[in-house]
Structure formats: structure tokens, C-alpha cells
mmCIF file with all atom_site columns, all heavy atoms in Angstrom:
data_model
loop_
_atom_site.group_PDB
_atom_site.id
_atom_site.type_symbol
_atom_site.label_atom_id
_atom_site.label_alt_id
_atom_site.label_comp_id
_atom_site.label_asym_id
_atom_site.label_entity_id
_atom_site.label_seq_id
_atom_site.pdbx_PDB_ins_code
_atom_site.Cartn_x
_atom_site.Cartn_y
_atom_site.Cartn_z
_atom_site.occupancy
_atom_site.B_iso_or_equiv
_atom_site.pdbx_formal_charge
_atom_site.auth_seq_id
_atom_site.auth_comp_id
_atom_site.auth_asym_id
_atom_site.auth_atom_id
_atom_site.pdbx_PDB_model_num
ATOM 1   N N   . LEU A 1 1  ? 109.189 95.152  87.538  1.00 0.00 ? 2  LEU A N   1
ATOM 2   C CA  . LEU A 1 1  ? 110.382 94.673  88.234  1.00 0.00 ? 2  LEU A CA  1
ATOM 3   C C   . LEU A 1 1  ? 110.502 95.433  89.549  1.00 0.00 ? 2  LEU A C   1
ATOM 4   O O   . LEU A 1 1  ? 110.546 96.670  89.551  1.00 0.00 ? 2  LEU A O   1
ATOM 5   C CB  . LEU A 1 1  ? 111.639 94.911  87.394  1.00 0.00 ? 2  LEU A CB  1
ATOM 6   C CG  . LEU A 1 1  ? 111.634 94.394  85.954  1.00 0.00 ? 2  LEU A CG  1
ATOM 7   C CD1 . LEU A 1 1  ? 112.980 94.677  85.284  1.00 0.00 ? 2  LEU A CD1 1
ATOM 8   C CD2 . LEU A 1 1  ? 111.294 92.917  85.898  1.00 0.00 ? 2  LEU A CD2 1
ATOM 9   N N   . ILE A 1 2  ? 110.550 94.697  90.653  1.00 0.00 ? 3  ILE A N   1
ATOM 10  C CA  . ILE A 1 2  ? 110.605 95.323  91.973  1.00 0.00 ? 3  ILE A CA  1
ATOM 11  C C   . ILE A 1 2  ? 112.050 95.338  92.462  1.00 0.00 ? 3  ILE A C   1
ATOM 12  O O   . ILE A 1 2  ? 112.615 94.300  92.811  1.00 0.00 ? 3  ILE A O   1
ATOM 13  C CB  . ILE A 1 2  ? 109.699 94.588  92.972  1.00 0.00 ? 3  ILE A CB  1
ATOM 14  C CG1 . ILE A 1 2  ? 108.239 94.719  92.528  1.00 0.00 ? 3  ILE A CG1 1
ATOM 15  C CG2 . ILE A 1 2  ? 109.887 95.141  94.384  1.00 0.00 ? 3  ILE A CG2 1
ATOM 16  C CD1 . ILE A 1 2  ? 107.253 93.980  93.405  1.00 0.00 ? 3  ILE A CD1 1
ATOM 17  N N   . GLN A 1 3  ? 112.642 96.518  92.446  1.00 0.00 ? 4  GLN A N   1
ATOM 18  C CA  . GLN A 1 3  ? 114.024 96.694  92.911  1.00 0.00 ? 4  GLN A CA  1
ATOM 19  C C   . GLN A 1 3  ? 113.965 97.025  94.406  1.00 0.00 ? 4  GLN A C   1
ATOM 20  O O   . GLN A 1 3  ? 113.855 98.172  94.807  1.00 0.00 ? 4  GLN A O   1
ATOM 21  C CB  . GLN A 1 3  ? 114.722 97.789  92.111  1.00 0.00 ? 4  GLN A CB  1
ATOM 22  C CG  . GLN A 1 3  ? 116.186 97.948  92.476  1.00 0.00 ? 4  GLN A CG  1
ATOM 23  C CD  . GLN A 1 3  ? 116.958 98.723  91.442  1.00 0.00 ? 4  GLN A CD  1
ATOM 24  O OE1 . GLN A 1 3  ? 117.238 98.251  90.357  1.00 0.00 ? 4  GLN A OE1 1
ATOM 25  N NE2 . GLN A 1 3  ? 117.330 99.960  91.776  1.00 0.00 ? 4  GLN A NE2 1
ATOM 26  N N   . LEU A 1 4  ? 114.049 95.987  95.213  1.00 0.00 ? 5  LEU A N   1
ATOM 27  C CA  . LEU A 1 4  ? 113.783 96.079  96.646  1.00 0.00 ? 5  LEU A CA  1
ATOM 28  C C   . LEU A 1 4  ? 115.041 96.412  97.444  1.00 0.00 ? 5  LEU A C   1
ATOM 29  O O   . LEU A 1 4  ? 116.118 95.885  97.157  1.00 0.00 ? 5  LEU A O   1
ATOM 30  C CB  . LEU A 1 4  ? 113.219 94.740  97.131  1.00 0.00 ? 5  LEU A CB  1
ATOM 31  C CG  . LEU A 1 4  ? 112.751 94.642  98.583  1.00 0.00 ? 5  LEU A CG  1
ATOM 32  C CD1 . LEU A 1 4  ? 111.442 95.394  98.760  1.00 0.00 ? 5  LEU A CD1 1
ATOM 33  C CD2 . LEU A 1 4  ? 112.576 93.175  98.982  1.00 0.00 ? 5  LEU A CD2 1
ATOM 34  N N   . HIS A 1 5  ? 114.880 97.258  98.447  1.00 0.00 ? 6  HIS A N   1
ATOM 35  C CA  . HIS A 1 5  ? 115.966 97.485  99.412  1.00 0.00 ? 6  HIS A CA  1
ATOM 36  C C   . HIS A 1 5  ? 115.895 96.366  100.450 1.00 0.00 ? 6  HIS A C   1
ATOM 37  O O   . HIS A 1 5  ? 114.903 96.223  101.161 1.00 0.00 ? 6  HIS A O   1
ATOM 38  C CB  . HIS A 1 5  ? 115.816 98.847  100.088 1.00 0.00 ? 6  HIS A CB  1
ATOM 39  C CG  . HIS A 1 5  ? 116.947 99.160  101.033 1.00 0.00 ? 6  HIS A CG  1
ATOM 40  N ND1 . HIS A 1 5  ? 116.972 98.713  102.340 1.00 0.00 ? 6  HIS A ND1 1
ATOM 41  C CD2 . HIS A 1 5  ? 118.092 99.850  100.851 1.00 0.00 ? 6  HIS A CD2 1
ATOM 42  C CE1 . HIS A 1 5  ? 118.088 99.131  102.923 1.00 0.00 ? 6  HIS A CE1 1
ATOM 43  N NE2 . HIS A 1 5  ? 118.780 99.820  102.031 1.00 0.00 ? 6  HIS A NE2 1
ATOM 44  N N   . VAL A 1 6  ? 116.937 95.553  100.516 1.00 0.00 ? 7  VAL A N   1
ATOM 45  C CA  . VAL A 1 6  ? 116.947 94.359  101.351 1.00 0.00 ? 7  VAL A CA  1
ATOM 46  C C   . VAL A 1 6  ? 117.665 94.627  102.669 1.00 0.00 ? 7  VAL A C   1
ATOM 47  O O   . VAL A 1 6  ? 118.792 95.126  102.676 1.00 0.00 ? 7  VAL A O   1
ATOM 48  C CB  . VAL A 1 6  ? 117.623 93.183  100.618 1.00 0.00 ? 7  VAL A CB  1
ATOM 49  C CG1 . VAL A 1 6  ? 117.641 91.939  101.490 1.00 0.00 ? 7  VAL A CG1 1
ATOM 50  C CG2 . VAL A 1 6  ? 116.897 92.895  99.299  1.00 0.00 ? 7  VAL A CG2 1
ATOM 51  N N   . SER A 1 7  ? 117.007 94.285  103.774 1.00 0.00 ? 8  SER A N   1
ATOM 52  C CA  . SER A 1 7  ? 117.608 94.436  105.095 1.00 0.00 ? 8  SER A CA  1
ATOM 53  C C   . SER A 1 7  ? 117.970 93.063  105.655 1.00 0.00 ? 8  SER A C   1
ATOM 54  O O   . SER A 1 7  ? 117.754 92.036  105.022 1.00 0.00 ? 8  SER A O   1
ATOM 55  C CB  . SER A 1 7  ? 116.636 95.148  106.044 1.00 0.00 ? 8  SER A CB  1
ATOM 56  O OG  . SER A 1 7  ? 115.612 94.250  106.466 1.00 0.00 ? 8  SER A OG  1
ATOM 57  N N   . ALA A 1 8  ? 118.462 93.049  106.879 1.00 0.00 ? 9  ALA A N   1
ATOM 58  C CA  . ALA A 1 8  ? 118.812 91.788  107.535 1.00 0.00 ? 9  ALA A CA  1
ATOM 59  C C   . ALA A 1 8  ? 117.616 91.146  108.235 1.00 0.00 ? 9  ALA A C   1
ATOM 60  O O   . ALA A 1 8  ? 117.740 90.055  108.788 1.00 0.00 ? 9  ALA A O   1
ATOM 61  C CB  . ALA A 1 8  ? 119.934 92.022  108.550 1.00 0.00 ? 9  ALA A CB  1
ATOM 62  N N   . VAL A 1 9  ? 116.457 91.814  108.200 1.00 0.00 ? 10 VAL A N   1
ATOM 63  C CA  . VAL A 1 9  ? 115.264 91.304  108.893 1.00 0.00 ? 10 VAL A CA  1
ATOM 64  C C   . VAL A 1 9  ? 114.343 90.659  107.866 1.00 0.00 ? 10 VAL A C   1
ATOM 65  O O   . VAL A 1 9  ? 113.696 91.356  107.073 1.00 0.00 ? 10 VAL A O   1
ATOM 66  C CB  . VAL A 1 9  ? 114.539 92.434  109.643 1.00 0.00 ? 10 VAL A CB  1
ATOM 67  C CG1 . VAL A 1 9  ? 113.331 91.875  110.397 1.00 0.00 ? 10 VAL A CG1 1
ATOM 68  C CG2 . VAL A 1 9  ? 115.490 93.144  110.595 1.00 0.00 ? 10 VAL A CG2 1
ATOM 69  N N   . LYS A 1 10 ? 114.280 89.342  107.887 1.00 0.00 ? 11 LYS A N   1
ATOM 70  C CA  . LYS A 1 10 ? 113.520 88.594  106.875 1.00 0.00 ? 11 LYS A CA  1
ATOM 71  C C   . LYS A 1 10 ? 112.060 89.031  106.814 1.00 0.00 ? 11 LYS A C   1
ATOM 72  O O   . LYS A 1 10 ? 111.503 89.248  105.731 1.00 0.00 ? 11 LYS A O   1
ATOM 73  C CB  . LYS A 1 10 ? 113.618 87.101  107.161 1.00 0.00 ? 11 LYS A CB  1
ATOM 74  C CG  . LYS A 1 10 ? 112.911 86.235  106.127 1.00 0.00 ? 11 LYS A CG  1
ATOM 75  C CD  . LYS A 1 10 ? 112.807 84.778  106.563 1.00 0.00 ? 11 LYS A CD  1
ATOM 76  C CE  . LYS A 1 10 ? 114.135 84.087  106.619 1.00 0.00 ? 11 LYS A CE  1
ATOM 77  N NZ  . LYS A 1 10 ? 113.976 82.624  106.856 1.00 0.00 ? 11 LYS A NZ  1
ATOM 78  N N   . SER A 1 11 ? 111.422 89.170  107.972 1.00 0.00 ? 12 SER A N   1
ATOM 79  C CA  . SER A 1 11 ? 109.994 89.506  107.995 1.00 0.00 ? 12 SER A CA  1
ATOM 80  C C   . SER A 1 11 ? 109.732 90.872  107.368 1.00 0.00 ? 12 SER A C   1
ATOM 81  O O   . SER A 1 11 ? 108.729 91.064  106.667 1.00 0.00 ? 12 SER A O   1
ATOM 82  C CB  . SER A 1 11 ? 109.461 89.466  109.433 1.00 0.00 ? 12 SER A CB  1
ATOM 83  O OG  . SER A 1 11 ? 110.172 90.365  110.260 1.00 0.00 ? 12 SER A OG  1
ATOM 84  N N   . ASP A 1 12 ? 110.623 91.828  107.618 1.00 0.00 ? 13 ASP A N   1
ATOM 85  C CA  . ASP A 1 12 ? 110.475 93.166  107.016 1.00 0.00 ? 13 ASP A CA  1
ATOM 86  C C   . ASP A 1 12 ? 110.603 93.098  105.502 1.00 0.00 ? 13 ASP A C   1
ATOM 87  O O   . ASP A 1 12 ? 109.838 93.736  104.763 1.00 0.00 ? 13 ASP A O   1
ATOM 88  C CB  . ASP A 1 12 ? 111.513 94.133  107.582 1.00 0.00 ? 13 ASP A CB  1
ATOM 89  C CG  . ASP A 1 12 ? 111.238 94.506  109.034 1.00 0.00 ? 13 ASP A CG  1
ATOM 90  O OD1 . ASP A 1 12 ? 110.153 94.150  109.544 1.00 0.00 ? 13 ASP A OD1 1
ATOM 91  O OD2 . ASP A 1 12 ? 112.114 95.147  109.650 1.00 0.00 ? 13 ASP A OD2 1
ATOM 92  N N   . ASN A 1 13 ? 111.595 92.339  105.027 1.00 0.00 ? 14 ASN A N   1
ATOM 93  C CA  . ASN A 1 13 ? 111.795 92.204  103.585 1.00 0.00 ? 14 ASN A CA  1
ATOM 94  C C   . ASN A 1 13 ? 110.558 91.613  102.922 1.00 0.00 ? 14 ASN A C   1
ATOM 95  O O   . ASN A 1 13 ? 110.103 92.090  101.873 1.00 0.00 ? 14 ASN A O   1
ATOM 96  C CB  . ASN A 1 13 ? 113.000 91.307  103.301 1.00 0.00 ? 14 ASN A CB  1
ATOM 97  C CG  . ASN A 1 13 ? 114.302 91.914  103.766 1.00 0.00 ? 14 ASN A CG  1
ATOM 98  O OD1 . ASN A 1 13 ? 114.468 93.128  103.788 1.00 0.00 ? 14 ASN A OD1 1
ATOM 99  N ND2 . ASN A 1 13 ? 115.250 91.072  104.156 1.00 0.00 ? 14 ASN A ND2 1
ATOM 100 N N   . LEU A 1 14 ? 110.022 90.575  103.521 1.00 0.00 ? 15 LEU A N   1
ATOM 101 C CA  . LEU A 1 14 ? 108.876 89.895  102.944 1.00 0.00 ? 15 LEU A CA  1
ATOM 102 C C   . LEU A 1 14 ? 107.640 90.785  102.941 1.00 0.00 ? 15 LEU A C   1
ATOM 103 O O   . LEU A 1 14 ? 106.898 90.847  101.953 1.00 0.00 ? 15 LEU A O   1
ATOM 104 C CB  . LEU A 1 14 ? 108.614 88.608  103.726 1.00 0.00 ? 15 LEU A CB  1
ATOM 105 C CG  . LEU A 1 14 ? 107.613 87.620  103.122 1.00 0.00 ? 15 LEU A CG  1
ATOM 106 C CD1 . LEU A 1 14 ? 108.020 87.217  101.721 1.00 0.00 ? 15 LEU A CD1 1
ATOM 107 C CD2 . LEU A 1 14 ? 107.475 86.394  104.012 1.00 0.00 ? 15 LEU A CD2 1
ATOM 108 N N   . GLN A 1 15 ? 107.433 91.496  104.042 1.00 0.00 ? 16 GLN A N   1
ATOM 109 C CA  . GLN A 1 15 ? 106.275 92.384  104.136 1.00 0.00 ? 16 GLN A CA  1
ATOM 110 C C   . GLN A 1 15 ? 106.359 93.510  103.094 1.00 0.00 ? 16 GLN A C   1
ATOM 111 O O   . GLN A 1 15 ? 105.368 93.826  102.415 1.00 0.00 ? 16 GLN A O   1
ATOM 112 C CB  . GLN A 1 15 ? 106.183 92.975  105.544 1.00 0.00 ? 16 GLN A CB  1
ATOM 113 C CG  . GLN A 1 15 ? 104.971 93.886  105.744 1.00 0.00 ? 16 GLN A CG  1
ATOM 114 C CD  . GLN A 1 15 ? 104.889 94.418  107.175 1.00 0.00 ? 16 GLN A CD  1
ATOM 115 O OE1 . GLN A 1 15 ? 105.797 94.251  107.972 1.00 0.00 ? 16 GLN A OE1 1
ATOM 116 N NE2 . GLN A 1 15 ? 103.779 95.066  107.498 1.00 0.00 ? 16 GLN A NE2 1
ATOM 117 N N   . ARG A 1 16 ? 107.540 94.111  102.963 1.00 0.00 ? 17 ARG A N   1
ATOM 118 C CA  . ARG A 1 16 ? 107.702 95.208  102.006 1.00 0.00 ? 17 ARG A CA  1
ATOM 119 C C   . ARG A 1 16 ? 107.586 94.705  100.570 1.00 0.00 ? 17 ARG A C   1
ATOM 120 O O   . ARG A 1 16 ? 106.994 95.365  99.708  1.00 0.00 ? 17 ARG A O   1
ATOM 121 C CB  . ARG A 1 16 ? 109.048 95.910  102.234 1.00 0.00 ? 17 ARG A CB  1
ATOM 122 C CG  . ARG A 1 16 ? 109.152 97.249  101.508 1.00 0.00 ? 17 ARG A CG  1
ATOM 123 C CD  . ARG A 1 16 ? 110.257 98.121  102.032 1.00 0.00 ? 17 ARG A CD  1
ATOM 124 N NE  . ARG A 1 16 ? 111.565 97.523  101.849 1.00 0.00 ? 17 ARG A NE  1
ATOM 125 C CZ  . ARG A 1 16 ? 112.275 96.939  102.830 1.00 0.00 ? 17 ARG A CZ  1
ATOM 126 N NH1 . ARG A 1 16 ? 111.777 96.881  104.041 1.00 0.00 ? 17 ARG A NH1 1
ATOM 127 N NH2 . ARG A 1 16 ? 113.465 96.436  102.579 1.00 0.00 ? 17 ARG A NH2 1
ATOM 128 N N   . ALA A 1 17 ? 108.135 93.521  100.313 1.00 0.00 ? 18 ALA A N   1
ATOM 129 C CA  . ALA A 1 17 ? 108.046 92.948  98.966  1.00 0.00 ? 18 ALA A CA  1
ATOM 130 C C   . ALA A 1 17 ? 106.595 92.712  98.581  1.00 0.00 ? 18 ALA A C   1
ATOM 131 O O   . ALA A 1 17 ? 106.170 93.070  97.470  1.00 0.00 ? 18 ALA A O   1
ATOM 132 C CB  . ALA A 1 17 ? 108.840 91.651  98.901  1.00 0.00 ? 18 ALA A CB  1
ATOM 133 N N   . CYS A 1 18 ? 105.821 92.126  99.484  1.00 0.00 ? 19 CYS A N   1
ATOM 134 C CA  . CYS A 1 18 ? 104.415 91.857  99.189  1.00 0.00 ? 19 CYS A CA  1
ATOM 135 C C   . CYS A 1 18 ? 103.636 93.152  98.984  1.00 0.00 ? 19 CYS A C   1
ATOM 136 O O   . CYS A 1 18 ? 102.745 93.225  98.120  1.00 0.00 ? 19 CYS A O   1
ATOM 137 C CB  . CYS A 1 18 ? 103.786 91.024  100.304 1.00 0.00 ? 19 CYS A CB  1
ATOM 138 S SG  . CYS A 1 18 ? 104.367 89.304  100.349 1.00 0.00 ? 19 CYS A SG  1
ATOM 139 N N   . GLY A 1 19 ? 103.979 94.183  99.736  1.00 0.00 ? 20 GLY A N   1
ATOM 140 C CA  . GLY A 1 19 ? 103.333 95.477  99.561  1.00 0.00 ? 20 GLY A CA  1
ATOM 141 C C   . GLY A 1 19 ? 103.611 96.072  98.188  1.00 0.00 ? 20 GLY A C   1
ATOM 142 O O   . GLY A 1 19 ? 102.709 96.620  97.534  1.00 0.00 ? 20 GLY A O   1
ATOM 143 N N   . LEU A 1 20 ? 104.849 95.948  97.707  1.00 0.00 ? 21 LEU A N   1
ATOM 144 C CA  . LEU A 1 20 ? 105.199 96.465  96.392  1.00 0.00 ? 21 LEU A CA  1
ATOM 145 C C   . LEU A 1 20 ? 104.597 95.622  95.273  1.00 0.00 ? 21 LEU A C   1
ATOM 146 O O   . LEU A 1 20 ? 104.267 96.136  94.205  1.00 0.00 ? 21 LEU A O   1
ATOM 147 C CB  . LEU A 1 20 ? 106.720 96.540  96.252  1.00 0.00 ? 21 LEU A CB  1
ATOM 148 C CG  . LEU A 1 20 ? 107.397 97.619  97.103  1.00 0.00 ? 21 LEU A CG  1
ATOM 149 C CD1 . LEU A 1 20 ? 108.911 97.485  97.077  1.00 0.00 ? 21 LEU A CD1 1
ATOM 150 C CD2 . LEU A 1 20 ? 106.971 99.021  96.648  1.00 0.00 ? 21 LEU A CD2 1
ATOM 151 N N   . VAL A 1 21 ? 104.430 94.333  95.522  1.00 0.00 ? 22 VAL A N   1
ATOM 152 C CA  . VAL A 1 21 ? 103.730 93.482  94.545  1.00 0.00 ? 22 VAL A CA  1
ATOM 153 C C   . VAL A 1 21 ? 102.289 93.962  94.391  1.00 0.00 ? 22 VAL A C   1
ATOM 154 O O   . VAL A 1 21 ? 101.768 94.076  93.269  1.00 0.00 ? 22 VAL A O   1
ATOM 155 C CB  . VAL A 1 21 ? 103.770 92.000  94.983  1.00 0.00 ? 22 VAL A CB  1
ATOM 156 C CG1 . VAL A 1 21 ? 102.805 91.174  94.129  1.00 0.00 ? 22 VAL A CG1 1
ATOM 157 C CG2 . VAL A 1 21 ? 105.182 91.446  94.872  1.00 0.00 ? 22 VAL A CG2 1
ATOM 158 N N   . ARG A 1 22 ? 101.639 94.251  95.502  1.00 0.00 ? 23 ARG A N   1
ATOM 159 C CA  . ARG A 1 22 ? 100.255 94.757  95.444  1.00 0.00 ? 23 ARG A CA  1
ATOM 160 C C   . ARG A 1 22 ? 100.200 96.093  94.696  1.00 0.00 ? 23 ARG A C   1
ATOM 161 O O   . ARG A 1 22 ? 99.278  96.333  93.903  1.00 0.00 ? 23 ARG A O   1
ATOM 162 C CB  . ARG A 1 22 ? 99.702  94.918  96.860  1.00 0.00 ? 23 ARG A CB  1
ATOM 163 C CG  . ARG A 1 22 ? 99.506  93.589  97.602  1.00 0.00 ? 23 ARG A CG  1
ATOM 164 C CD  . ARG A 1 22 ? 98.853  93.804  98.955  1.00 0.00 ? 23 ARG A CD  1
ATOM 165 N NE  . ARG A 1 22 ? 98.707  92.541  99.668  1.00 0.00 ? 23 ARG A NE  1
ATOM 166 C CZ  . ARG A 1 22 ? 99.568  92.114  100.606 1.00 0.00 ? 23 ARG A CZ  1
ATOM 167 N NH1 . ARG A 1 22 ? 100.609 92.876  100.959 1.00 0.00 ? 23 ARG A NH1 1
ATOM 168 N NH2 . ARG A 1 22 ? 99.383  90.942  101.198 1.00 0.00 ? 23 ARG A NH2 1
ATOM 169 N N   . GLU A 1 23 ? 101.174 96.941  94.948  1.00 0.00 ? 24 GLU A N   1
ATOM 170 C CA  . GLU A 1 23 ? 101.233 98.237  94.253  1.00 0.00 ? 24 GLU A CA  1
ATOM 171 C C   . GLU A 1 23 ? 101.383 98.031  92.753  1.00 0.00 ? 24 GLU A C   1
ATOM 172 O O   . GLU A 1 23 ? 100.722 98.702  91.948  1.00 0.00 ? 24 GLU A O   1
ATOM 173 C CB  . GLU A 1 23 ? 102.416 99.048  94.790  1.00 0.00 ? 24 GLU A CB  1
ATOM 174 C CG  . GLU A 1 23 ? 102.637 100.379 94.086  1.00 0.00 ? 24 GLU A CG  1
ATOM 175 C CD  . GLU A 1 23 ? 103.893 101.074 94.577  1.00 0.00 ? 24 GLU A CD  1
ATOM 176 O OE1 . GLU A 1 23 ? 104.075 101.172 95.816  1.00 0.00 ? 24 GLU A OE1 1
ATOM 177 O OE2 . GLU A 1 23 ? 104.710 101.508 93.735  1.00 0.00 ? 24 GLU A OE2 1
ATOM 178 N N   . ALA A 1 24 ? 102.260 97.113  92.356  1.00 0.00 ? 25 ALA A N   1
ATOM 179 C CA  . ALA A 1 24 ? 102.482 96.848  90.936  1.00 0.00 ? 25 ALA A CA  1
ATOM 180 C C   . ALA A 1 24 ? 101.223 96.302  90.274  1.00 0.00 ? 25 ALA A C   1
ATOM 181 O O   . ALA A 1 24 ? 100.862 96.685  89.158  1.00 0.00 ? 25 ALA A O   1
ATOM 182 C CB  . ALA A 1 24 ? 103.641 95.868  90.765  1.00 0.00 ? 25 ALA A CB  1
ATOM 183 N N   . SER A 1 25 ? 100.532 95.417  90.975  1.00 0.00 ? 26 SER A N   1
ATOM 184 C CA  . SER A 1 25 ? 99.290  94.862  90.434  1.00 0.00 ? 26 SER A CA  1
ATOM 185 C C   . SER A 1 25 ? 98.243  95.948  90.255  1.00 0.00 ? 26 SER A C   1
ATOM 186 O O   . SER A 1 25 ? 97.519  95.978  89.247  1.00 0.00 ? 26 SER A O   1
ATOM 187 C CB  . SER A 1 25 ? 98.772  93.776  91.376  1.00 0.00 ? 26 SER A CB  1
ATOM 188 O OG  . SER A 1 25 ? 97.489  93.338  91.003  1.00 0.00 ? 26 SER A OG  1
ATOM 189 N N   . ALA A 1 26 ? 98.153  96.854  91.224  1.00 0.00 ? 27 ALA A N   1
ATOM 190 C CA  . ALA A 1 26 ? 97.179  97.939  91.144  1.00 0.00 ? 27 ALA A CA  1
ATOM 191 C C   . ALA A 1 26 ? 97.442  98.862  89.957  1.00 0.00 ? 27 ALA A C   1
ATOM 192 O O   . ALA A 1 26 ? 96.529  99.517  89.456  1.00 0.00 ? 27 ALA A O   1
ATOM 193 C CB  . ALA A 1 26 ? 97.195  98.746  92.445  1.00 0.00 ? 27 ALA A CB  1
ATOM 194 N N   . LYS A 1 27 ? 98.690  98.871  89.488  1.00 0.00 ? 28 LYS A N   1
ATOM 195 C CA  . LYS A 1 27 ? 99.055  99.701  88.336  1.00 0.00 ? 28 LYS A CA  1
ATOM 196 C C   . LYS A 1 27 ? 99.040  98.910  87.032  1.00 0.00 ? 28 LYS A C   1
ATOM 197 O O   . LYS A 1 27 ? 99.580  99.357  86.024  1.00 0.00 ? 28 LYS A O   1
ATOM 198 C CB  . LYS A 1 27 ? 100.427 100.339 88.571  1.00 0.00 ? 28 LYS A CB  1
ATOM 199 C CG  . LYS A 1 27 ? 100.410 101.371 89.699  1.00 0.00 ? 28 LYS A CG  1
ATOM 200 C CD  . LYS A 1 27 ? 101.733 102.094 89.832  1.00 0.00 ? 28 LYS A CD  1
ATOM 201 C CE  . LYS A 1 27 ? 101.669 103.155 90.932  1.00 0.00 ? 28 LYS A CE  1
ATOM 202 N NZ  . LYS A 1 27 ? 102.957 103.883 91.083  1.00 0.00 ? 28 LYS A NZ  1
ATOM 203 N N   . GLY A 1 28 ? 98.440  97.731  87.070  1.00 0.00 ? 29 GLY A N   1
ATOM 204 C CA  . GLY A 1 28 ? 98.184  97.000  85.835  1.00 0.00 ? 29 GLY A CA  1
ATOM 205 C C   . GLY A 1 28 ? 99.188  95.933  85.458  1.00 0.00 ? 29 GLY A C   1
ATOM 206 O O   . GLY A 1 28 ? 99.077  95.330  84.386  1.00 0.00 ? 29 GLY A O   1
ATOM 207 N N   . ALA A 1 29 ? 100.172 95.668  86.299  1.00 0.00 ? 30 ALA A N   1
ATOM 208 C CA  . ALA A 1 29 ? 101.162 94.647  85.973  1.00 0.00 ? 30 ALA A CA  1
ATOM 209 C C   . ALA A 1 29 ? 100.533 93.260  86.034  1.00 0.00 ? 30 ALA A C   1
ATOM 210 O O   . ALA A 1 29 ? 99.827  92.927  86.989  1.00 0.00 ? 30 ALA A O   1
ATOM 211 C CB  . ALA A 1 29 ? 102.354 94.734  86.921  1.00 0.00 ? 30 ALA A CB  1
ATOM 212 N N   . LYS A 1 30 ? 100.790 92.452  85.016  1.00 0.00 ? 31 LYS A N   1
ATOM 213 C CA  . LYS A 1 30 ? 100.290 91.076  84.969  1.00 0.00 ? 31 LYS A CA  1
ATOM 214 C C   . LYS A 1 30 ? 101.374 90.069  85.326  1.00 0.00 ? 31 LYS A C   1
ATOM 215 O O   . LYS A 1 30 ? 101.074 88.951  85.741  1.00 0.00 ? 31 LYS A O   1
ATOM 216 C CB  . LYS A 1 30 ? 99.745  90.768  83.568  1.00 0.00 ? 31 LYS A CB  1
ATOM 217 C CG  . LYS A 1 30 ? 98.609  91.675  83.133  1.00 0.00 ? 31 LYS A CG  1
ATOM 218 C CD  . LYS A 1 30 ? 97.415  91.583  84.075  1.00 0.00 ? 31 LYS A CD  1
ATOM 219 C CE  . LYS A 1 30 ? 96.252  92.429  83.576  1.00 0.00 ? 31 LYS A CE  1
ATOM 220 N NZ  . LYS A 1 30 ? 95.110  92.413  84.532  1.00 0.00 ? 31 LYS A NZ  1
ATOM 221 N N   . VAL A 1 31 ? 102.627 90.454  85.121  1.00 0.00 ? 32 VAL A N   1
ATOM 222 C CA  . VAL A 1 31 ? 103.787 89.642  85.496  1.00 0.00 ? 32 VAL A CA  1
ATOM 223 C C   . VAL A 1 31 ? 104.683 90.521  86.353  1.00 0.00 ? 32 VAL A C   1
ATOM 224 O O   . VAL A 1 31 ? 105.051 91.626  85.948  1.00 0.00 ? 32 VAL A O   1
ATOM 225 C CB  . VAL A 1 31 ? 104.552 89.129  84.267  1.00 0.00 ? 32 VAL A CB  1
ATOM 226 C CG1 . VAL A 1 31 ? 105.758 88.294  84.689  1.00 0.00 ? 32 VAL A CG1 1
ATOM 227 C CG2 . VAL A 1 31 ? 103.632 88.310  83.363  1.00 0.00 ? 32 VAL A CG2 1
ATOM 228 N N   . VAL A 1 32 ? 105.031 90.047  87.547  1.00 0.00 ? 33 VAL A N   1
ATOM 229 C CA  . VAL A 1 32 ? 105.809 90.833  88.500  1.00 0.00 ? 33 VAL A CA  1
ATOM 230 C C   . VAL A 1 32 ? 107.019 90.007  88.938  1.00 0.00 ? 33 VAL A C   1
ATOM 231 O O   . VAL A 1 32 ? 106.877 88.818  89.246  1.00 0.00 ? 33 VAL A O   1
ATOM 232 C CB  . VAL A 1 32 ? 104.971 91.231  89.728  1.00 0.00 ? 33 VAL A CB  1
ATOM 233 C CG1 . VAL A 1 32 ? 105.800 92.052  90.720  1.00 0.00 ? 33 VAL A CG1 1
ATOM 234 C CG2 . VAL A 1 32 ? 103.730 92.015  89.295  1.00 0.00 ? 33 VAL A CG2 1
ATOM 235 N N   . ALA A 1 33 ? 108.188 90.628  88.976  1.00 0.00 ? 34 ALA A N   1
ATOM 236 C CA  . ALA A 1 33 ? 109.406 89.910  89.350  1.00 0.00 ? 34 ALA A CA  1
ATOM 237 C C   . ALA A 1 33 ? 110.112 90.595  90.512  1.00 0.00 ? 34 ALA A C   1
ATOM 238 O O   . ALA A 1 33 ? 110.233 91.828  90.544  1.00 0.00 ? 34 ALA A O   1
ATOM 239 C CB  . ALA A 1 33 ? 110.370 89.811  88.163  1.00 0.00 ? 34 ALA A CB  1
#
């Protein structure tokens, strides 16, 4: 579960979210929310 800090800049939010998804996958997560 990715508890993201959300800003007013859409592109920043999306970039950081995708980065944390990659981190979660690297740690073995098969389902990411």
C-alpha cells in the first residue's frame, strides 16, 4: 500500500507514485495499491 504525499502538481504526484510502485515491486510486491 503506497501512502503517498499528494501535492498540487499533477506531474510530480504521478512521477513519485510510479517511483514508489517500482520500489514496491523490487521488494517483492505482486499487488500494489
Side-chain angles (χ1 to χ4, degrees):
L2 308 182
I3 296 177
Q4 184 163 288
L5 185 73
H6 183 276
V7 180
S8 76
V10 182
K11 183 190 292 188
S12 58
D13 289 351
N14 294 330
L15 191 56
Q16 182 178 9
R17 193 163 63 257
C19 289
L21 290 171
V22 168
R23 293 185 182 98
E24 176 185 312
S26 172
K28 292 186 178 180
K31 300 300 184 184
V32 180
V33 180

